[in-house]
């Protein structure tokens, strides 16, 4: 048996319990390099130093998911935040959930515009990257270091996401 998971419109307030929405339109703009470069300052702050960790920057290449898509598991990173910023500028989906007694609770799914990045706070349940429609590249800032920084949990019954409207 599956349960339908509706895609919500992404807003900073709706996503705030899970992390930070990074929208350059809402950031502090600084002109640098003699006015030739726009710096969209302080989009997010990495939380990666727990247990002697350090911040790394990687490129993730996500394969497009097939819809309808079953969300049957979640993961979290107890020692560091994780930031995804799309390079491809294709829409993507973020699925997050509150913690309920050490397990993911009722998930929420957001359709994320291709020019918006998200930072999952440390220890927030989320689904792995869900690319929509095409192979998509993301700059990912997260933690490297000692300690166990990945927990996974399965749902007893999956949640189903229908194909996003284009």
């Amino acid at each position: 048996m599956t349960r339908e998971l509706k895609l919500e419109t992404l807003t900073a307030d709706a996503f705030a319990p899970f992390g930070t929405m990074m929208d350059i339109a809402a950031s502090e703009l600084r002109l640098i390099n003699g006015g030739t470069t726009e710096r969209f300052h302080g989009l997010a702050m990495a939380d990666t130093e727990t247990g002697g960790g350090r911040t790394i920057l990687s490129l993730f290449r996500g394969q497009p998911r097939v819809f309808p898509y079953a969300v049957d598991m979640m993961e979290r990173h107890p020692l560091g935040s994780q930031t995804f910023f799309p390079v491809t500028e294709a829409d993507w989906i973020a699925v997050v959930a509150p913690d309920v007694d050490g397990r993911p609770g009722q998930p929420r799914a957001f359709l994320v515009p291709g020019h918006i990045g998200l930072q999952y706070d440390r220890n927030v349940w989320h689904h792995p990257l869900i690319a929509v429609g095409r192979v998509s590249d993301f700059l990912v800032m997260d933690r490297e270091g000692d300690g166990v920084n990945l927990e996974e949990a399965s749902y007893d019954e999956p949640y189903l996401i229908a194909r996003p409207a284009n």
Side-chain angles (χ1 to χ4, degrees):
M1 181 174 172
T2 58
R3 298 168 281 190
E4 186 176 1
L5 186 56
K6 297 271 188 192
L7 288 173
E8 298 180 45
T9 300
L10 179 70
T11 66
D13 288 341
F15 193 76
F18 309 104
T20 304
M21 184 177 107
M22 294 175 289
D23 182 356
I24 62 173
S27 70
E28 177 187 342
L29 175 62
R30 295 181 180 180
L31 293 177
I32 61 172
N33 299 330
T36 63
T37 303
E38 295 176 328
R39 176 180 174 149
F40 301 95
H41 185 73
L43 294 173
M45 175 94 45
D47 175 7
T48 59
E49 296 178 9
T50 300
R54 59 199 163 276
T55 303
I56 61 170
L57 184 65
S58 304
L59 182 81
F60 285 20
R61 180 160 291 147
Q63 300 301 310
R65 302 296 178 129
V66 176
F67 292 92
Y69 181 74
V71 173
D72 59 359
M73 62 80 67
M74 299 288 269
E75 66 179 33
R76 68 179 176 180
H77 307 286
L79 302 178
S81 60
Q82 192 174 42
T83 303
F84 289 81
F85 205 95
V87 177
T88 309
E89 293 194 23
D91 292 350
W92 55 293
I93 295 173
V95 179
V96 291
D99 182 78
V100 177
D101 299 325
R103 296 195 44 83
Q106 170 71 39
R108 295 176 67 184
F110 295 95
L111 181 60
V112 185
H115 65 281
I116 300 288
L118 296 177
Q119 178 172 283
Y120 300 119
D121 286 344
R122 180 167 47 96
N123 220 28
V124 164
W125 289 108
H126 62 278
H127 190 278
L129 181 62
I130 301 176
V132 176
R134 63 180 176 159
V135 174
S136 299
D137 290 344
F138 294 80
L139 288 177
V140 177
M141 183 171 54
D142 61 355
R143 179 188 185 277
E144 178 179 68
D146 293 336
V148 178
N149 193 32
L150 175 63
E151 293 180 33
E152 295 179 338
S154 297
Y155 284 114
D156 292 335
E157 297 176 27
Y159 292 85
L160 200 62
I161 300 174
R163 175 171 292 285
N166 288 347

